[in-house]
Amino acid sequence: MMANNTNKSIYLIPVMLCFFCMGFVDLVGIASNYVKEDLGLSDSVANIFPSLVFFWFLIFSVPTGMLMNKIGRKNTVLLSLIVTVVSLLIPLFGNSFTVMLIAFSLLGIGNALMQTSINPLAMLIIGDKNLASTLTFGQFVKAIASFLAPYLAMWGATQVIPSFGYDWRVLFMVYFVVGLLSTALLWATPIVEELKNGKVEEWKNENKTFSSPILQFFNSYLDCLRMLSKPIVLLSFLAIMCHVGIDVGTNTTAPKLLMERVGMTLNEAAFATSLYFIFRTIGALTGSFFLRVMKTRWFFIISVVLMAASMILMFSGQSKMVLYIAIALVGYGNSNIFSMAFSEALLSVPDKQNEVSGLMIMGLFGGTVFPLIMGFMSDAMGQAGAVAVMAVGVIYLFTYIKQVKN
């Protein structure tokens, strides 16, 4: 699969840095809370920002799977990095509602491209063996960027930054620099994909009656969606929707829980988002080990049970310690759901891995559905309403257990 016999593991270094850049999308949780405070928005309006970011996964995920067949996996990841870097540059020039909408839209588009293509690129290097544990380690690297975002925002909001004053948006500058570095490193890495007839294999339309490129595109898009007729693909898709809904939901709701029930300020409560990602990081790191030494199904069960306990504590907890425990539990429990569900789907259709990857990443659209509903529920009945929405996702994950092999 590679161009030479050089140790393939060295090529995972730039790929793992790309996983770090993939974690930039999680800044939307703490960022939406700061935008809400800056502009005086309600929960339902503020939750438009995380919902908008993940909306683009619905639009771009499947086309990205087909784009990989045209230009290759590495080039698709490079394109995603360029879009992401641009999205991080825009907020440095202002924080109006329109500016932030544009920035978060581009961040979502770049992340949709990246999440669809980065996992197949990693598989190109590592192969089928230990795929779940490799993707889990990638999620560990991603989580580092995720939990650093609230700290960077708090630092910018409370310390004098020469160019920005007291401004949380310094986190965009830091991630902009890292994004540029990642783009340059991946571009310089000689990852060569398997060639057929001198070019990356293109998707072939079996229906020869379509001659228009636009019609061919829609026909290929529908062919990808038809793969949802396979039960394991559909159920894995829904599992990823729930995983991301809970992830984004906790990201945005955790600080609000502490502000509502303990009376913290936003800068104080921002630690809750970091706590969530700290335990997601620990979960991803230890999960890459556990997935090698124990059955995937048992580890999945343990993960979902932890998430269920978290929902109970978040719904009823009134003290800072109880809420911190709840946030830690859901962080650890939710850290490996994506990797397990994704690998189940990817390995179930080995001849259509690019397309399946696109479908699974489309499941990140759950990050749009859940926050929108949670915003309306929290406006109506407080943050307990938002937790109730996430609990529905946990209930579905219990039903998915029987689909997990081994």
Side-chain angles (χ1 to χ4, degrees):
M1 300 283 288
M2 304 300 299
N4 51 53
N5 294 323
T6 304
N7 188 349
K8 294 181 181 180
S9 61
I10 195 172
Y11 294 103
L12 281 175
I13 296 175
V15 172
M16 288 301 153
L17 187 56
C18 291
F19 271 102
F20 184 88
C21 293
M22 191 166 69
F24 295 171
V25 73
D26 290 321
L27 66 81
V28 69
I30 192 62
S32 64
N33 280 294
Y34 276 104
V35 173
K36 175 190 174 184
E37 185 175 80
D38 289 347
L39 303 182
L41 307 176
S42 66
D43 275 349
S44 55
V45 174
N47 279 13
I48 290 175
F49 292 108
S51 295
L52 182 63
V53 167
F54 290 93
F55 167 77
W56 299 107
F57 287 88
L58 178 66
I59 305 299
F60 283 97
S61 296
V62 170
T64 302
M66 293 182 283
L67 180 65
M68 281 190 288
N69 290 336
K70 297 284 187 181
I71 67 174
R73 300 174 185 182
K74 175 185 172 181
N75 288 335
T76 305
V77 175
L78 283 171
L79 176 62
S80 73
L81 286 168
I82 292 171
V83 176
T84 299
V85 165
V86 173
S87 75
L88 296 169
L89 181 63
I90 291 175
L92 301 181
F93 298 99
N95 66 339
S96 69
F97 191 82
T98 301
V99 166
M100 299 309 291
L101 281 178
I102 295 172
F104 285 153
S105 291
L106 289 175
L107 181 63
I109 292 170
N111 209 259
L113 293 169
M114 188 179 301
Q115 297 220 37
T116 305
S117 53
I118 192 66
N119 292 306
L121 182 62
M123 187 175 184
L124 177 70
I125 297 171
I126 201 67
D128 293 350
K129 187 178 181 181
N130 296 324
L131 176 62
S133 61
T134 299
L135 296 185
T136 296
F137 185 75
Q139 293 300 309
F140 158 70
V141 176
K142 172 181 179 288
I144 296 174
S146 301
F147 83 73
L148 283 177
Y151 283 111
L152 290 171
M154 285 187 289
W155 177 63
T158 58
Q159 303 295 323
V160 177
I161 311 300
S163 299
F164 295 93
Y166 293 86
D167 202 320
W168 58 272
R169 287 175 296 147
V170 68
L171 74 92
F172 288 100
M173 171 176 280
V174 175
Y175 283 169
F176 170 76
V177 173
V178 177
L180 285 177
L181 174 63
S182 179
T183 304
L185 185 59
L186 181 63
W187 177 79
T189 301
I191 300 175
V192 179
E193 300 180 40
E194 192 171 278
L195 302 179
K196 293 187 179 181
N197 299 323
K199 60 181 179 180
V200 176
E201 182 184 12
E202 297 185 2
W203 178 87
K204 301 295 183 182
N205 186 357
E206 296 177 357
N207 188 341
K208 303 301 182 181
T209 61
F210 289 97
S211 57
S212 166
I214 296 178
L215 292 178
Q216 288 184 1
F217 168 79
F218 281 108
N219 189 53
S220 61
Y221 192 98
L222 291 175
D223 278 351
C224 288
L225 293 180
R226 289 189 189 104
M227 295 179 66
L228 291 174
S229 63
K230 296 179 180 292
I232 183 61
V233 175
L234 174 61
L235 296 175
S236 298
F237 173 83
L238 294 174
I240 288 176
M241 279 196 70
C242 292
H243 154 74
V244 178
I246 295 166
D247 180 62
V248 179
T250 304
N251 192 358
T252 57
T253 301
K256 297 174 186 176
L257 277 169
L258 290 165
M259 294 167 68
E260 177 184 89
R261 299 182 187 176
V262 186
M264 288 184 173
T265 65
L266 176 55
N267 285 330
E268 294 170 336
F271 170 72
T273 301
S274 287
L275 179 66
Y276 170 72
F277 286 114
I278 287 171
F279 275 86
R280 268 203 63 179
T281 305
I282 295 171
L285 181 61
T286 57
S288 63
F289 168 75
F290 287 131
L291 285 169
R292 292 174 183 263
V293 300
M294 69 184 298
K295 291 184 177 181
T296 303
R297 176 176 289 184
W298 279 111
F299 190 63
F300 192 93
I301 292 171
I302 293 170
S303 298
V304 179
V305 168
L306 291 176
M307 294 169 68
S310 169
M311 294 299 110
I312 294 172
L313 293 177
M314 277 200 279
F315 190 84
S316 59
Q318 297 296 323
S319 70
K320 180 170 67 174
M321 184 56 63
V322 170
L323 292 175
Y324 278 164
I325 292 172
I327 294 165
L329 287 175
V330 71
Y332 191 92
N334 204 28
S335 59
N336 298 285
I337 299 297
F338 175 86
S339 298
M340 289 184 281
F342 188 96
S343 61
E344 288 292 331
L346 203 64
L347 296 175
S348 68
V349 192
D351 58 329
K352 292 285 186 179
Q353 289 180 341
N354 285 354
E355 290 81 358
V356 170
S357 177
L359 283 173
M360 292 304 102
I361 300 304
M362 185 191 289
L364 271 66
F365 180 64
T368 293
V369 176
F370 275 66
L372 281 178
I373 300 174
M374 290 168 64
F376 287 110
M377 289 291 288
S378 60
D379 280 346
M381 54 182 296
Q383 298 307 317
V387 174
V389 176
M390 292 191 290
V392 174
V394 176
I395 292 171
Y396 173 78
L397 291 176
F398 272 109
T399 70
Y400 183 77
I401 290 173
K402 61 185 178 182
Q403 305 300 327
V404 182
K405 300 177 183 178
N406 302 322

